[in-house]
Amino acid sequence: MITLTEENYIKAIFHLGKQGSATVSTNALAEAMHTKASSATDMIKKLAEKNYANYKKYQGVSLTAEGKLVALNIIRKHRLWEVFLVDKLNFTWDQVHDVAEQLEHIKSQKLIDELDAFLDFPTHDPHGDPIPDKHGKFEHVEKTSLSNAKEGGSYVCVGVNDSSVDFLKYLDNNDIALGTTIKVLHKEPFDHSIKIAIDGRELMVSQVVGKNLYLKEN
Amino acid sequence: MITLTEENYIKAIFHLGKQGSATVSTNALAEAMHTKASSATDMIKKLAEKNYANYKKYQGVSLTAEGKLVALNIIRKHRLWEVFLVDKLNFTWDQVHDVAEQLEHIKSQKLIDELDAFLDFPTHDPHGDPIPDKHGKFEHVEKTSLSNAKEGGSYVCVGVNDSSVDFLKYLDNNDIALGTTIKVLHKEPFDHSIKIAIDGRELMVSQVVGKNLYLKEN
DNA sequence: ATTTTTATTTAGATAGGTCTAAAAAATAAG
DNA sequence: CTTATTTTTTAGACCTATCTAAATAAAAAT
Ligand SMILES: [Mn+2]
Ligand SMILES: [Mn+2]
Ligand SMILES: [Mn+2]
Ligand SMILES: [Mn+2]
């Protein structure tokens, strides 16, 4: 039996290390979970005890193969529910996260299999993130951040690094969505702001926006 | 803030007393919750403290107006999710209960409003139970148990008292579903078994079945 | 190579929900 | 009415997940 809290910690370790393989520091994990380092230590011990995590004192934590499967399964559920909310229940991409955080913990294999079929086996969630299949496999989305894009290049928006309401609404307000074509006009060396063109309309975006917007060459 | 456990106790009090108005004994509540009487007592105190329940020592528990609203809201969610599972995800009526027990605790007003609309504002769940509206109002379903039905009468099946997998599968196996027309041919005084006709086919059912099948005059 | 700073772990406490065992109240029997 | 039985409550303990404060290890600075 795995608790809801354990699932959330496992997911956090997965996201902080690259797919859970890299070692994650206690402090980083505590911060991600909005708890204190002492709480994170306790949970890390428990996860190691249950064979979901690799842990040596003072050496950080990573996921075992079993832990990775758990993480991928939760992520699969989270992203499928996000698709459901947007495609079927008129949620916008900035409204889905908190609800999906709850729904991802519902335990029923049939539920998630049927939901997958009902949604016609989607491969990506509303933020462009790939949805693992039932075996945990998913295609790596090829992408560069806008900050790393080439001046003069033409790209299409394929994802976001930050799924916060503020950032997603900012994108909405500026008519940037998944699939939007973006041309990189000028990268300002001074403050790393970037001038881009969307449908012929010019827009100046900050470095923070540049780092959180994922593109693919067009 | 109301916890998942509190919600489940409130729902149990609602179902055990008639709509939460009648007073429920500690033992009855403990049994329904599969806990011990001492645990029930602790929870009753907390619910009273939080103004969801009326409680005087040794006198049983009932719901306050606020507690009833909480109960009705959870029941609304439970039943809407059951409709979703059956109508959209190919669940059968005996497969939905456990999943709905989890889904009923998801907190999001928009989610439940949109789900209601997505399902086209259903008034009854797959077991024939009425779905409260967002204000907690719902129409009383007029019904008699098969045991109380008149010999010679013609009825239509409108609900079940027992939603267990075993009973629902029994009904499936005998081609009894919501909406099925049932004629009462003979009520056996000796063991209270009942001979009924469905589509011209004759069937003998036990007293237990009679008590758990709800009908409406045709 | 010490000292200082930072990161991590441990110790002890609290809150929610559960349990067993024992005490107290209410009900039933004699 | 008094005793026995059942129901309910209380006392004390445990487990999970959290916290603060203190101890220890690792890393950085001098
Ligand atoms: Mn999300
Ligand atoms: Mn997402
Ligand atoms: Mn149900
Ligand atoms: Mn039902």
Side-chain angles (χ1 to χ4, degrees):
Chain A
M1 239 258 32
I2 187 164
T3 70
L4 187 147
T5 310
E6 287 166 357
E7 287 187 345
N8 282 331
Y9 271 92
I10 288 172
K11 192 171 57 136
I13 297 168
F14 184 92
H15 282 133
L16 288 171
K18 27 188 177 80
Q19 326 275 87
S21 315
T23 171
V24 172
S25 80
T26 302
N27 268 356
L29 183 56
E31 188 181 9
M33 294 300 297
H34 304 106
T35 60
K36 295 304 162 74
S38 55
S39 304
T41 300
D42 284 349
M43 182 54 76
I44 289 169
K45 282 182 190 165
K46 189 157 41 137
L47 293 179
E49 182 65 37
K50 291 191 175 185
N51 253 299
Y52 296 121
N54 308 114
Y55 172 58
K56 281 205 227 86
K57 268 195 196 180
Y58 296 101
Q59 311 250 126
V61 64
S62 63
L63 293 181
T64 62
E66 201 182 336
K68 281 179 205 171
L69 270 182
V70 171
L72 283 162
N73 197 249
I74 301 167
I75 290 166
R76 168 172 165 77
K77 291 194 277 182
H78 182 108
R79 292 180 181 166
L80 281 173
W81 280 116
E82 286 190 344
V83 172
F84 170 70
L85 295 173
V86 168
D87 284 11
K88 306 293 184 182
L89 298 194
N90 304 307
F91 278 62
T92 54
W93 69 346
D94 59 295
Q95 294 176 316
V96 297
H97 192 75
D98 291 348
V99 186
E101 282 296 314
Q102 299 177 63
L103 287 163
E104 70 188 3
H105 300 288
I106 303 291
K107 283 165 185 62
S108 163
Q109 191 56 56
K110 180 175 171 67
L111 174 60
I112 206 65
D113 289 347
E114 292 284 354
L115 184 65
D116 195 18
F118 183 60
L119 300 173
D120 213 18
F121 308 102
T123 57
H124 295 81
D125 83 359
H127 311 105
D129 293 313
I131 299 175
D133 70 16
K134 58 165 63 176
H135 308 295
K137 301 251 174 284
F138 61 98
E139 34 170 319
H140 186 66
V141 177
E142 188 167 349
K143 65 196 176 191
T144 1
S145 71
L146 171 54
S147 292
N148 291 328
K150 291 193 304 274
E151 207 171 78
S154 176
Y155 296 84
V156 55
C157 174
V158 295
V160 291
N161 179 239
D162 173 0
S163 285
S164 71
V165 173
D166 282 351
F167 183 53
L168 296 175
K169 284 198 160 152
Y170 167 89
L171 295 178
D172 285 344
N173 291 336
N174 290 286
D175 288 312
I176 300 172
L178 296 187
T180 300
T181 297
I182 292 177
K183 290 191 204 338
V184 181
L185 302 180
H186 176 65
K187 299 175 76 174
E188 175 55 49
F190 171 60
D191 65 354
H192 302 95
S193 63
I194 306 164
K195 189 191 282 184
I196 60 179
I198 301 166
D199 269 335
R201 180 173 50 87
E202 288 190 10
L203 177 67
M204 196 69 155
V205 303
S206 70
Q207 181 184 23
V208 183
V209 171
K211 288 200 161 148
N212 284 296
L213 194 60
Y214 289 137
L215 309 176
K216 160 185 104 183
E217 251 169 311
N218 202 0
Chain B
M1 237 258 29
I2 187 164
T3 70
L4 186 145
T5 311
E6 287 165 356
E7 288 188 345
N8 283 331
Y9 272 93
I10 288 172
K11 191 172 57 136
I13 296 168
F14 184 92
H15 281 133
L16 289 172
K18 26 191 178 78
Q19 326 276 82
S21 314
T23 171
V24 172
S25 80
T26 303
N27 268 357
L29 183 56
E31 188 182 7
M33 294 300 298
H34 304 105
T35 61
K36 296 302 161 77
S38 55
S39 305
T41 300
D42 284 350
M43 181 55 75
I44 290 169
K45 283 184 191 166
K46 186 154 49 133
L47 293 179
E49 181 66 37
K50 290 192 175 184
N51 253 297
Y52 296 122
N54 307 116
Y55 173 58
K56 280 203 228 90
K57 268 193 195 180
Y58 296 101
Q59 311 248 130
V61 64
S62 63
L63 293 181
T64 62
E66 201 183 334
K68 281 178 203 171
L69 271 181
V70 170
L72 283 161
N73 197 249
I74 300 167
I75 290 165
R76 169 172 164 77
K77 291 193 278 183
H78 183 108
R79 292 179 181 167
L80 281 173
W81 280 116
E82 287 189 344
V83 172
F84 171 70
L85 295 172
V86 168
D87 284 10
K88 306 293 185 182
L89 298 194
N90 305 305
F91 279 62
T92 54
W93 68 346
D94 59 295
Q95 294 177 315
V96 297
H97 192 77
D98 291 347
V99 186
E101 282 295 314
Q102 300 177 61
L103 287 163
E104 69 188 2
H105 300 289
I106 302 291
K107 283 164 185 61
S108 164
Q109 191 57 57
K110 180 175 171 67
L111 174 61
I112 206 66
D113 289 347
E114 292 284 355
L115 185 65
D116 195 17
F118 182 61
L119 300 172
D120 213 17
F121 308 102
T123 57
H124 295 80
D125 84 357
H127 311 105
D129 293 313
I131 299 174
D133 70 15
K134 57 164 64 178
H135 308 294
K137 301 251 175 285
F138 62 98
E139 34 169 321
H140 185 69
V141 177
E142 188 167 348
K143 63 194 179 193
T144 1
S145 71
L146 170 54
S147 292
N148 291 328
K150 293 193 301 274
E151 207 170 78
S154 177
Y155 297 84
V156 55
C157 175
V158 296
V160 290
N161 179 239
D162 173 0
S163 285
S164 71
V165 173
D166 282 349
F167 183 53
L168 297 176
K169 283 199 161 154
Y170 167 89
L171 295 178
D172 285 343
N173 291 336
N174 290 286
D175 287 312
I176 300 172
L178 296 188
T180 299
T181 296
I182 292 179
K183 291 192 203 333
V184 181
L185 303 181
H186 176 65
K187 299 175 77 175
E188 176 55 49
F190 171 60
D191 65 352
H192 302 96
S193 63
I194 306 165
K195 189 190 282 184
I196 61 179
I198 302 166
D199 270 335
R201 182 174 49 85
E202 288 189 13
L203 178 66
M204 196 70 156
V205 303
S206 71
Q207 181 183 23
V208 183
V209 170
K211 288 200 161 147
N212 284 297
L213 195 59
Y214 289 136
L215 309 176
K216 163 184 102 184
E217 250 169 312
N218 201 1

